[in-house]
């Protein structure tokens, strides 16, 4: 790993950064849209994992998981995608075992909790690398405050997927640090690294399929000379875009071009209200335009939609969007784009591949009330997004002109599509993006190594001094009559002729229904058997460890469960 390198051009000079591997924090919710439901975060997570398995320079693939179920899911994904790679899984409560890796890749920008989790081993145990997705929720913004008050170190990183995301995070960190410095009369700690690295895609997954596109057009009744416009997105008026301005623009563009337009929407409605707005809005505002909703749960229709379209549209007016992965996928399929001049699309869509339609928000103070209502939970996140969307203007005249321009000029569509395809391959394919991430991990690993060598890291935080969640036995010490303190205490098995066997008691209590059993049944029964074997003189917890090879903490938990049900004393 240390011998691999990536040449990066900086101000015209070549510099070499080591390419480093990272352990991947894996929970199925962040990586499997098929199992957990399609949203941008999961689609991006699945794409990242596939791109990593295809292109990472790594001796082994390491996951950090909550438990064996997620570890098995991870191993199955690796086996399907890259069966030649060696896999190792580490449980979350033993995170230091990701060594010799020095970086943890975390699928969220909210790394504060992971910084605290790391503190058990010392802040230089490894570096953490998060990545931005949606940054508009109250919980996300609160997590940035928590990160700056957590033991976050300068070798940690939050990848910003766009300049807009970087600007937003920088602004909030300025506010947080100003407040910390003023309140505590000191200097705020160093910030994490915040490089701009885009989300990636596997371009080959979006290679145009003309036969599938033609079949879809035929199925929908879209004529050869008609202009098919496609949108691939979650169909939510609260958390994606307001479709009504687009419907108005399509109707006006169709009248001006003199050819029939069609709008193909591939996705799933976010809720019943969104369905009503889309369906009634289309019927009312663009009755002459073809309108087709394509089920987003049919995976093969995604590529068919992109293959059958003439133009890809992404008229986002919602702060839920941060990067905009769908336009990059459409570029890979060779489609010209009409997008809003909004967040990540300011970076991804230059003039040669598409048209960006101007957007405008009102003066900054106008939305202050909306922020206060979100923070106080008077308004939900969808309500917050809906209201900001209602105050965001998409230049309707410019949108009509863009539709007319591309709708009237097939040669321009072809040139933009070809340019987009080349740009997607050169800039956004994982073959181009992943080396940037590994170079960042290499930089982080070097910083961690330097911190260890020079003693810059913070020492480990013992469990009884852990501020975010104090040791439960310590935190709740005033609740019970007493807390067991004598390690030499002897325990005996009690007669239990009037009780069912421990397995039957466990069946009655059914801890498994909540997926939480303090210890495996086998350890509980083994502890009881060892107590019975010890006879009336009993046994200490250390004696039981020697007799059963069960860890000491587990023995204590088994003993207290047995005492709870009158099986031991």
């Amino acid at each position: 790993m240390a011998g691999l390198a990536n040449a990066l051009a900086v101000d015209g000079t070549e510099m070499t950064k080591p390419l480093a591997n990272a352990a991947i924090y894996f929970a199925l919710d962040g990586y499997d849209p098929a199992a957990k439901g399609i949203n941008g975060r999961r689609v991006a997570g699945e794409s990242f994992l596939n791109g990593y398995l295809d292109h990472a320079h790594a001796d082994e693939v390491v996951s950090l998981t909550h438990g064996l179920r997620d570890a098995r899911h991870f191993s199955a994904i690796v086996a399907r995608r890259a069966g030649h790679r060696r896999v190792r899984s580490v449980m979350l409560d033993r995170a230091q075992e990701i060594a010799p890796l020095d970086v943890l890749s975390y699928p969220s920008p909210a790394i504060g909790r992971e910084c605290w989790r790391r503190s058990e081993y010392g802040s230089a145990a490894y570096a953490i690398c998060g990545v931005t997705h949606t940054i508009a929720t109250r919980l996300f913004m609160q997590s940035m405050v928590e990160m700056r008050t957590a033991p976050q170190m300068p070798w940690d990183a939050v990848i910003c997927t766009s300049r807009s995301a970087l600007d937003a995070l920088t602004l909030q960190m300025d506010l947080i640090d100003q407040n910390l410095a003023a309140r505590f009369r000191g200097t705020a700690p160093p910030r994490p690294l915040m490089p701009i690295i885009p989300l990636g895609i596997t371009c080959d997954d979006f290679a145009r399929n003309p036969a599938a596109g033609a079949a879809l057009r035929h199925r929908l009744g879209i004529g050869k000379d008609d202009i098919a416009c496609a949108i691939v997105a979650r169909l939510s008026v609260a958390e994606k875009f307001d479709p009504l301005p687009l419907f108005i623009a399509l109707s006006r563009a169709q009248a001006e071009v003199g050819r029939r337009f069609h709008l193909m929407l591939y996705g799933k409605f976010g809720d019943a209200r969104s369905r009503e707005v889309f369906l009634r809005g289309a019927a009312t505002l663009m009755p002459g335009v073809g309108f087709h909703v394509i089920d987003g749960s049919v995976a093969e229709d995604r590529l068919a939609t992109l293959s059958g379209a003439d133009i890809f549209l992404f008229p986002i007016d919602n702060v839920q969007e941060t990067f905009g992965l769908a336009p990059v996928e459409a570029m890979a399929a060779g489609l010209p784009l009409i997008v809003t001049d909004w967040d990540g699309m300011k970076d991804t869509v230059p003039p040669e591949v598409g048209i960006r339609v101007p957007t405008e928000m009102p003066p900054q103070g106008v939305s202050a009330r909306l922020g206060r209502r979100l923070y106080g939970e008077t308004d939900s996140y969808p309500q917050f997004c809906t209201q900001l969307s209602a105050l965001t203007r998409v230049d309707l005249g410019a949108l009509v002109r863009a539709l007319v321009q591309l709708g009237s000029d097939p040669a321009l569509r072809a040139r933009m599509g070809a340019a987009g395809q080349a740009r997607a391959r050169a800039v956004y394919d994982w073959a181009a993006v992943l080396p940037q991430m590994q170079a960042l991990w290499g930089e982080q690993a070097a910083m961690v190594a330097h911190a260890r060598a020079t003693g810059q890291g913070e020492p480990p935080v013992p469990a009884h001094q852990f501020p975010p969640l104090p040791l439960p036995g310590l935190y709740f010490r005033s609740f019970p009559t007493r807390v067991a303190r004598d390690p030499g205490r002897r325990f005996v098995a009690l007669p239990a002729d009037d009780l069912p066997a421990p397995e039957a008691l466990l069946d009655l209590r059914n801890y498994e229904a909540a997926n939480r059993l303090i210890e495996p049944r086998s350890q509980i029964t083994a502890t009881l058997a060892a107590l019975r074997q010890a006879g009336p003189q009993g046994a200490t917890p250390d004696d039981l460890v020697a007799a059963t090879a069960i860890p000491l903490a587990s023995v204590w938990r088994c003993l207290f469960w047995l005492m709870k049900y009158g099986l031991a004393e």
Side-chain angles (χ1 to χ4, degrees), residues 132-153:
T132 59
H133 292 292
T134 296
I135 64 171
T137 67
R138 179 185 61 81
L139 289 176
F140 166 77
M141 289 184 257
Q142 185 66 38
S143 77
M144 290 298 98
V145 178
E146 293 169 359
M147 181 184 73
R148 297 299 290 138
T149 57
Q152 168 257 305
M153 305 304 291

Side-chain angles (χ1 to χ4, degrees), residues 105-421:
S105 174
Y106 188 67
S108 162
I111 65 172
R113 184 172 63 172
E114 296 311 307
C115 294
W116 276 117
R117 196 195 307 276
R118 176 185 60 193
S119 67
E120 179 182 354
Y121 319 112
S123 62
Y126 52 85
I128 302 166
C129 181
V131 60
T132 59
H133 292 292
T134 296
I135 64 171
T137 67
R138 179 185 61 81
L139 289 176
F140 166 77
M141 289 184 257
Q142 185 66 38
S143 77
M144 290 298 98
V145 178
E146 293 169 359
M147 181 184 73
R148 297 299 290 138
T149 57
Q152 168 257 305
M153 305 304 291
W155 44 84
D156 297 320
V158 175
I159 293 173
C160 297
T161 55
S162 66
R163 288 177 297 163
S164 296
L166 175 61
D167 181 71
L169 264 61
T170 300
L171 170 68
Q172 192 184 12
M173 288 192 192
D174 286 345
L175 297 174
I176 295 167
D177 291 356
Q178 289 168 18
N179 181 274
L180 291 175
R183 186 172 185 208
F184 298 107
R185 296 176 175 82
T187 302
R191 296 181 185 182
L193 303 167
M194 292 195 296
I196 297 176
I197 300 176
L199 295 177
I201 64 168
T202 300
C203 286
D204 289 344
D205 291 347
F206 302 95
R208 201 172 183 87
N209 184 332
L216 180 64
R217 287 178 74 110
H218 178 74
R219 188 174 96 202
L220 300 178
I222 301 174
K224 177 176 176 293
D225 295 325
D226 294 350
I227 301 163
C229 300
I231 294 177
V232 175
R234 185 169 21 148
L235 305 179
S236 169
V237 296
E239 296 179 75
K240 189 55 76 169
F241 70 101
D242 179 349
L244 301 189
L246 174 64
F247 295 164
I248 295 168
L250 281 166
S251 183
R252 292 178 180 176
Q254 177 173 271
E256 190 167 338
V257 173
R259 293 169 60 189
R260 193 171 190 218
F261 277 72
H262 293 259
L263 178 60
M264 300 188 297
L265 296 173
Y266 176 88
K268 297 180 75 68
F269 289 111
D271 49 55
R273 187 169 65 87
S274 292
R275 176 187 293 273
E276 181 183 8
V277 170
F278 272 89
L279 298 184
R280 289 186 59 206
T284 302
L285 297 174
M286 56 173 202
V289 174
F291 180 69
H292 315 279
V293 179
I294 302 165
D295 187 356
S297 64
V298 181
E300 56 269 26
D301 277 352
R302 184 186 187 96
L303 183 58
T305 301
L306 294 174
S307 299
D310 299 300
I311 303 168
F312 186 81
L313 308 178
F314 212 57
I316 304 301
D317 58 3
N318 199 295
V319 294
Q320 179 274 339
E321 188 71 55
T322 305
F323 176 75
L325 199 57
V328 177
E329 297 170 349
M331 285 162 52
L335 286 174
L337 310 180
I338 298 175
V339 303
T340 40
D341 191 40
W342 188 256
D343 60 62
M345 291 172 287
K346 293 180 175 182
D347 301 332
T348 59
V349 184
E352 63 269 21
V353 307
I355 300 171
R356 296 203 311 264
V357 177
T359 57
E360 186 177 18
M361 295 179 80
Q364 293 170 358
V366 170
S367 55
R369 178 172 175 268
L370 305 184
R372 288 196 296 271
R373 291 175 67 88
L374 175 68
Y375 185 76
E377 297 185 78
T378 302
D379 291 342
S380 68
Y381 171 62
Q383 288 172 323
F384 172 71
C385 290
T386 295
Q387 292 174 92
L388 273 180
S389 171
L391 298 178
T392 299
R393 174 198 174 213
V394 175
D395 189 325
L396 191 56
L399 180 56
V400 172
R401 290 191 296 274
L403 287 164
V404 169
Q405 183 180 7
L406 284 184
S408 304
D409 194 338
L412 177 60
R413 295 201 298 269
R415 288 197 303 274
M416 284 186 168
Q421 206 162 35

Side-chain angles (χ1 to χ4, degrees), residues 448-466:
V448 166
H450 179 73
R452 288 181 194 145
T454 56
Q456 291 181 28
E458 297 175 2
V461 176
H464 67 279
Q465 295 178 4
F466 189 64

Side-chain angles (χ1 to χ4, degrees), residues 503-516:
E503 293 88 345
L505 282 173
L506 288 164
D507 286 339
L508 283 172
R509 181 59 179 80
N510 193 13
Y511 291 98
E512 288 89 346
N515 197 29
R516 286 296 177 270

